[in-house]
């Protein structure tokens, strides 16, 4: 087989054995080129919506003669995804499609924040129209603390892809401070505000100097300062606000809030459907016509009921008291009753035709609310994904439809590292120019760290590691799902904090075999040739389409295996693209001119071809920094610095290579497993002795 002429680019870090292999195979070899230095201004070519940093283009010296051809005029795969919340509501109401939404409050601790974001991902799978995050005036809610209302809401939008409403109160805040919070919320991608007066921090309400006394004033201020940018929600009280002069007077205040610019209403919790029906009828009589969502509280414990009733100053109906009092010390029995009571209430509300959707007060607990929604038939885990990767709900990412495959299992990290981009790839990734990825040093951030505590990670990954083979077994147990010698199932790895993707099951046996022999896989996908977009395992995008994938394999392995792999890859030169890199940045690749390689694409009725994931050689250099660092940051630091376990992880970090392989012939059987088998065979051959007859070392 003919090979291209070798192209050797400058490298700061030399690796003689790999360099020799690369030259023999005619492979491009480079380190970090001066023009692509991480300390230099990084640019991307202009795309359909410009480069990630278009203001840098003039100084880049890069002339793109194909700007027009790189633009993608096709609409997004999910045109409703980035519509305004009130427009989503309007469409649902017109179609008669009921929805649900969920309320959460900021946790008190950093670990609580980790758990809450995990709950967002879990409950987001059920299909809420939106979530909302409460505002606690005494808890520094507008700060950058990981437990603040602002950060939790921003994380839900940017990293969990959830339509999110941020509560905002008048309590203990002046006009300028409130305006500052609103500007910050807008900058972070929050598009919806629930405007409240707020509960007093002490016994009596105290208006801040230069602040607002009523929610109506806050609504007016938002509209005055921000026009129509925010969708605004306000609170309604089915039995009247406890501080109001009368039920009728409170309704007039509600009408003022709506007239000032509120788009919809969420009510305080109540226990009987008639209470809500009376409230909606009364609202209609005085001219309130916006959507009114009932607030539902599934009773979960005696204590939580008492606390919520105390805060809301509500009276619990006697028939509920009669059931709960005898079982007040039995949380399970109360929770079961609460589920039954909430299901019955919701069924009555939905049957009335007066309710467009249901809003649940979760108290940051998932079980009761999820069970109620499942019994109502409203929990709709849609198996088909809009794109193969987790999307963000930030408005500036609305056109994004292409990402490098390397972050497939760490989408929150990718979003974090690209948060400063002004615009995002749409239609195609672009030619060999460098995206400006931010450095990732904040592994401690609650939305980037593992949700499992240290003690659990040690049980999964080993209290003590005896050798590199101990690490191999951790990977194998993650893939097999079988308990390890501690009787613990390995449910995550540093590169993937979630259970295995469904499509991994299509390659499970092959993955197990190679991991046990030191090919430590962190990302993979099978080849797919025209599966329906509705396929429950590999499908994505709108219905009626077909999806395609090239087989992809990404793994860490030792130097000896890489040496053998390079010999084997000569046989597959035109079929397999590859990229091999060590922690220092020494690279070997046969990617032509460092061009990105589309590895996932879809064809859908009435649309252009969508190619949402690519293997981009330049982005791979930024990913490798993160991938190698995770050995130490997430795994090695579990152990004492001088411990044998820490030394083993550090050795792997320092000496192993990160490899990715792409089989371009997707209609044929995946050849990557044969590549690996050929590599193992070569490794296991007896060594040649001096004087042996020369023969081709390739299999």
């Amino acid at each position: 087989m003919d090979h291209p002429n070798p192209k050797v680019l400058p490298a700061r870090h030399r690796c003689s054995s790999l360099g020799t292999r690369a030259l023999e195979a005619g492979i491009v070899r480079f380190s970090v080129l001066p023009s692509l230095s991480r300390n230099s201004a990084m640019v991307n070519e202009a795309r359909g919506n410009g480069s990630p940093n278009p203001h840098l283009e003039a100084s880049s010296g890069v002339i793109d003669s194909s700007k027009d051809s790189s633009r993608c005029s096709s609409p997004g795969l999910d045109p409703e995804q980035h519509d305004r919340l009130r427009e989503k509501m309007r469409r649902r109401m017109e179609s008669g499609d009921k929805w649900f939404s969920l309320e959460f409050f900021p946790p008190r601790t950093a670990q609580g924040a980790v758990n809450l974001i995990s709950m967002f991902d879990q409950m987001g799978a059920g299909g809420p129209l939106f979530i909302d995050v409460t505002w606690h005036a005494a808890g520094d809610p507008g700060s950058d603390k990981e437990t603040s209302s602002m950060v939790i809401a921003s994380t839900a939008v940017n990293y969990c892809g959830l339509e999110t409403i941020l509560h905002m109160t008048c309590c203990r805040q002046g006009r300028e401070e409130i305006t500052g919070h609103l500007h910050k919320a807008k900058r972070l991608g929050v598009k919806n505000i629930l405007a409240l007066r707020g509960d007093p921090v002490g016994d009596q309400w105290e208006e801040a100097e230069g602040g607002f006394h009523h929610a109506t004033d806050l609504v007016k201020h938002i509209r005055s300062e921000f026009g129509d940018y925010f969708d605004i929600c306000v609170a309604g009280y089915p039995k009247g606000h406890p501080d109001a002069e009368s039920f009728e007077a409170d309704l007039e205040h509600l009408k003022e809030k709506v007239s000032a610019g509120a788009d919809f209403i969420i009510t305080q919790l109540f226990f009987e459907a008639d209470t809500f029906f009376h409230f909606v009828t009364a609202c209609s009589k005085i001219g309130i016509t916006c959507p009114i969502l009932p607030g539902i509280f599934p009773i979960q414990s005696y204590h939580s009921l008492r606390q919520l009733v105390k805060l809301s100053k509500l009276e619990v109906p006697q028939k509920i008291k009669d059931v709960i009092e005898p079982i007040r010390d039995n949380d399970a029995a109360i929770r079961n009753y609460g589920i039954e009571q909430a299901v019955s209430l919701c069924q009555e509300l939905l049957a009335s035709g007066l309710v467009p959707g249901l809003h649940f007060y979760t108290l940051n607990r998932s079980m009761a609310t999820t069970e109620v929604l499942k019994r109502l038939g409203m929990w709709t885990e849609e198996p088909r994904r809009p794109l193969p990767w987790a999307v963000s709900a930030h408005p500036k990412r609305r056109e994004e439809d292409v990402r490098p495959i390397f972050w497939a299992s760490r989408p929150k990290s990718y979003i974090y590292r690209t948060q400063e981009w002004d615009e995002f790839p749409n239609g195609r990734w672009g030619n060999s120019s460098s995206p400006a990825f931010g450095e990732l040093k904040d592994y401690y951030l609650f939305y980037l760290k593992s949700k499992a505590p240290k003690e659990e990670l040690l049980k999964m990954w080993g209290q003590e590691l005896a050798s590199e083979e101990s690490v191999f077994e951790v990977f194998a147990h993650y893939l097999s799902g079988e308990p390890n010698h501690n009787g613990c199932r390995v449910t995550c790895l540093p590169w993937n904090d979630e259970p295995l993707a469904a499509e991994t099951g299509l390659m499970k046996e092959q993955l197990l075999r190679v991991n046990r022999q030191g090919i430590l896989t962190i990302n993979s996908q099978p080849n797919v040739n025209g599966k329906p977009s509705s396929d429950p395992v590999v499908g994505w995008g709108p219905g009626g389409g077909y999806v395609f994938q090239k087989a992809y394999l990404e793994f860490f392995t030792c130097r000896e295996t890489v040496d053998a792999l390079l010999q084997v890859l000569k046989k597959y030169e035109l079929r397999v693209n590859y990229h091999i890199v060590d922690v220092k940045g020494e690279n070997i690749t046969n990617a032509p001119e460092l061009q990105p390689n589309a590895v996932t694409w879809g064809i859908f009725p009435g649309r252009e071809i969508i190619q949402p994931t690519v293997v981009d050689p330049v982005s791979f250099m930024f990913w490798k920094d993160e991938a190698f660092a995770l050995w130490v940051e997430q795994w090695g630091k579990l152990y004492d610095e001088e411990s044998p376990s820490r030394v083993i992880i550090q050795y792997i970090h320092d000496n192993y290579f990160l490899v990715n392989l792409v089989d371009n012939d997707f209609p044929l059987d995946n050849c990557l497993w044969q590549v690996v088998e050929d590599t193992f065979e070569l490794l296991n051959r007896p060594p040649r002795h001096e004087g042996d007859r020369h023969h081709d070392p390739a299999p």
Side-chain angles (χ1 to χ4, degrees):
M1 181 178 291
D2 292 333
H3 304 300
N5 292 328
K7 181 178 181 182
V8 181
L9 302 178
R12 285 198 294 267
H13 308 288
R14 296 291 180 182
C15 173
S16 58
S17 64
L18 290 182
T20 302
R21 302 297 192 200
L23 287 171
E24 288 176 358
I27 302 164
V28 174
R29 177 173 177 271
F30 67 94
S31 182
V32 182
L33 303 181
S35 61
L36 300 179
S37 168
R38 288 187 293 275
N39 297 322
S40 304
M42 300 295 188
V43 299
N44 241 343
E45 68 164 353
R47 303 188 182 91
N49 285 299
S51 68
N53 294 74
H55 57 282
L56 298 176
E57 287 184 6
S59 61
S60 70
V62 176
I63 300 176
D64 178 17
S65 61
S66 60
K67 287 183 180 180
D68 293 335
S69 64
S70 71
R71 293 194 175 102
C72 173
S73 59
S74 62
L77 288 177
D78 184 4
E80 296 185 3
Q81 179 187 343
H82 295 284
D83 281 351
R84 302 189 68 126
L85 178 54
R86 65 192 185 203
E87 286 301 308
K88 295 178 182 178
M89 288 184 177
R90 180 185 60 78
R91 272 195 302 275
R92 293 286 191 97
M93 292 170 69
E94 289 175 351
S95 67
D97 185 14
K98 307 300 183 185
W99 72 80
F100 71 90
S101 51
L102 307 167
E103 179 171 292
F104 301 93
F105 59 83
R108 296 182 179 180
T109 66
Q111 185 58 46
V114 174
N115 296 338
L116 183 58
I117 299 310
S118 177
M119 186 178 294
F120 285 173
D121 290 335
Q122 172 194 340
M123 299 196 75
L129 186 64
F130 64 87
I131 70 164
D132 67 301
V133 178
T134 63
W135 183 274
H136 291 279
D140 203 4
S143 73
D144 292 329
K145 294 178 181 177
E146 55 197 352
T147 56
S148 74
S149 302
M150 186 74 73
V151 169
I152 294 295
S154 169
T155 303
V157 169
N158 290 284
Y159 298 100
C160 302
L162 295 171
E163 185 81 57
T164 303
I165 300 176
L166 174 64
H167 290 214
M168 187 77 65
T169 73
C170 307
C171 185
R172 302 176 83 177
Q173 299 187 107
R175 179 187 299 262
E176 289 187 4
E177 188 174 4
I178 289 173
T179 303
H181 289 323
L182 290 166
H183 276 293
K184 184 175 183 178
K186 180 179 178 181
R187 186 174 70 254
L188 293 173
V190 176
K191 301 174 291 183
N192 313 292
I193 299 294
L194 175 51
L196 302 158
R197 187 197 73 168
D199 297 320
V201 176
D203 294 332
Q204 298 293 325
W205 168 262
E206 294 182 11
E207 180 178 340
E209 184 177 352
F212 305 119
H213 190 65
H214 297 289
T216 303
D217 302 324
L218 179 54
V219 175
K220 290 178 179 178
H221 177 69
I222 294 172
R223 288 293 178 227
S224 172
E225 292 292 322
F226 295 88
D228 204 36
Y229 175 80
F230 290 107
D231 282 5
I232 301 176
C233 176
V234 292
Y237 299 87
K239 289 197 169 183
H241 192 283
D243 294 341
E245 297 175 4
S246 65
F247 177 76
E248 291 73 21
D250 189 51
L251 283 182
E252 289 298 330
H253 289 312
L254 179 60
K255 184 177 180 180
E256 289 175 7
K257 289 189 282 188
V258 174
S259 299
D263 297 295
F264 59 100
I265 298 165
I266 295 177
T267 76
Q268 188 184 51
L269 66 96
F270 54 90
F271 297 100
E272 296 174 311
D274 286 342
T275 302
F276 181 78
F277 298 153
H278 175 259
F279 175 69
V280 170
T281 301
C283 287
S284 178
K285 286 182 178 178
I286 64 170
I288 297 175
T289 59
C290 67
I292 302 175
L293 308 184
I296 309 298
F297 170 60
I299 301 169
Q300 302 185 51
S301 71
Y302 186 79
H303 174 72
S304 64
L305 176 62
R306 283 176 58 91
Q307 285 294 106
L308 206 58
V309 165
K310 179 181 177 181
L311 289 172
S312 57
K313 300 179 182 178
L314 287 175
E315 182 66 28
V316 179
Q318 188 61 44
K319 64 180 182 180
I320 293 180
K321 289 181 181 178
D322 292 342
V323 174
I324 286 182
E325 285 296 337
I327 57 173
R328 58 188 294 175
D329 297 323
N330 188 336
D331 282 352
I334 289 181
R335 185 169 57 248
N336 290 335
Y337 168 75
I339 290 171
E340 295 291 343
Q341 188 267 341
V343 169
S344 177
L345 173 62
C346 292
Q347 287 173 334
E348 192 173 352
L349 291 169
L350 293 169
S352 71
L354 298 174
V355 174
L358 304 170
H359 185 71
F360 287 85
Y361 297 105
T362 69
L363 299 186
N364 288 13
R365 299 177 185 174
S366 63
M367 188 168 67
T369 299
T370 301
E371 182 62 26
V372 170
L373 289 165
K374 286 181 177 179
R375 293 197 191 183
L376 293 171
M378 298 180 71
W379 184 267
T380 55
E381 291 194 24
E382 173 59 55
R384 186 167 65 247
R385 306 157 290 172
L387 285 164
W389 32 262
V391 299
S392 168
H394 196 296
K396 73 178 184 178
R397 302 185 88 110
R398 64 182 301 153
E399 301 298 333
E400 179 184 26
D401 64 6
V402 188
R403 288 183 188 174
I405 195 173
F406 318 123
W407 284 271
S409 297
R410 286 178 59 81
K412 292 181 176 64
S413 171
Y414 180 82
I415 292 169
Y416 177 80
R417 297 188 69 175
T418 57
Q419 63 184 318
E420 299 302 326
W421 290 8
D422 298 319
E423 293 178 315
F424 295 85
N426 172 249
R428 63 189 292 253
W429 180 254
N431 293 331
S432 54
S433 50
S434 180
F437 288 98
E439 294 288 337
L440 181 60
K441 297 180 179 178
D442 302 325
Y443 293 92
Y444 61 86
L445 291 174
F446 70 94
Y447 44 82
L448 298 180
K449 66 187 293 188
S450 175
K451 59 179 177 288
K454 177 180 179 180
E455 296 74 18
E456 188 175 336
L457 292 176
L458 284 169
K459 288 179 182 178
M460 289 191 287
W461 301 346
Q463 301 280 0
E464 293 183 5
L465 301 173
S467 64
E468 293 169 58
E469 286 72 20
S470 301
V471 175
F472 301 174
E473 282 303 307
V474 174
F475 279 77
H477 281 293
Y478 175 61
L479 288 162
S480 71
E482 297 175 357
N484 60 19
H485 68 276
N486 293 321
C488 181
R489 296 186 187 277
V490 179
T491 59
C492 64
L493 290 174
W495 305 268
N496 190 350
D497 203 41
E498 301 296 334
L500 292 171
E503 68 178 9
T504 304
L506 302 176
M507 309 173 289
K508 186 173 180 179
E509 290 185 10
Q510 296 95 329
L511 287 166
L512 270 170
R513 172 172 165 74
V514 303
N515 275 269
R516 286 183 171 132
Q517 297 183 78
I519 299 283
L520 305 178
T521 57
I522 61 172
N523 195 353
S524 60
Q525 71 177 28
N527 59 312
V528 173
N529 185 20
K531 285 277 190 180
S533 60
S534 58
D535 186 274
V537 177
V538 299
W540 55 272
Y546 294 90
V547 297
F548 302 80
Q549 293 180 175
K550 296 177 182 178
Y552 177 76
L553 197 61
E554 183 180 338
F555 54 89
F556 289 98
T557 196
C558 66
R559 176 182 297 273
E560 292 75 17
T561 303
V562 167
D563 283 340
L565 177 64
L566 282 168
Q567 291 300 300
V568 169
L569 284 170
K570 294 179 184 179
K571 177 180 173 182
Y572 299 89
E573 182 68 34
L574 296 181
R575 178 167 176 176
V576 176
N577 282 125
Y578 48 89
H579 198 152
I580 303 170
V581 62
D582 66 6
V583 70
K584 299 174 183 177
E586 179 76 9
N587 281 255
I588 301 172
T589 181
N590 69 342
E593 301 299 324
L594 305 185
Q595 290 288 328
N597 185 353
V599 291
T600 308
W601 63 99
I603 299 173
F604 307 97
R607 301 173 186 267
E608 295 183 6
I609 293 175
I610 307 294
Q611 54 173 52
T613 57
V614 299
V615 170
D616 174 44
V618 179
S619 299
F620 187 62
M621 291 297 291
F622 291 91
W623 162 246
K624 73 92 182 169
D625 292 338
E626 180 175 338
F628 275 103
L630 287 168
W631 280 107
V632 176
E633 296 291 336
Q634 302 279 26
W635 197 335
K637 289 185 177 179
L638 295 175
Y639 309 107
D640 293 338
E641 191 162 349
E642 301 299 326
S643 67
S645 298
R646 180 71 170 267
V647 170
I648 290 169
I649 295 298
Q650 190 68 50
Y651 176 83
I652 292 174
H653 169 274
D654 294 346
N655 294 281
Y656 274 41
F657 290 79
L658 181 62
V659 180
N660 74 57
L661 305 175
V662 178
D663 179 3
N664 291 299
D665 283 347
F666 64 92
L668 306 180
D669 289 341
N670 179 358
C671 77
L672 299 184
W673 305 119
Q674 190 60 51
V675 169
V676 175
E677 289 300 324
D678 291 350
T679 300
F680 289 150
E681 181 185 342
L682 184 59
L683 282 169
N684 293 328
R685 285 183 184 176
R688 277 188 282 169
H689 300 288
E690 189 173 347
D692 286 353
R693 184 171 58 88
H694 173 75
H695 64 277
D696 186 357

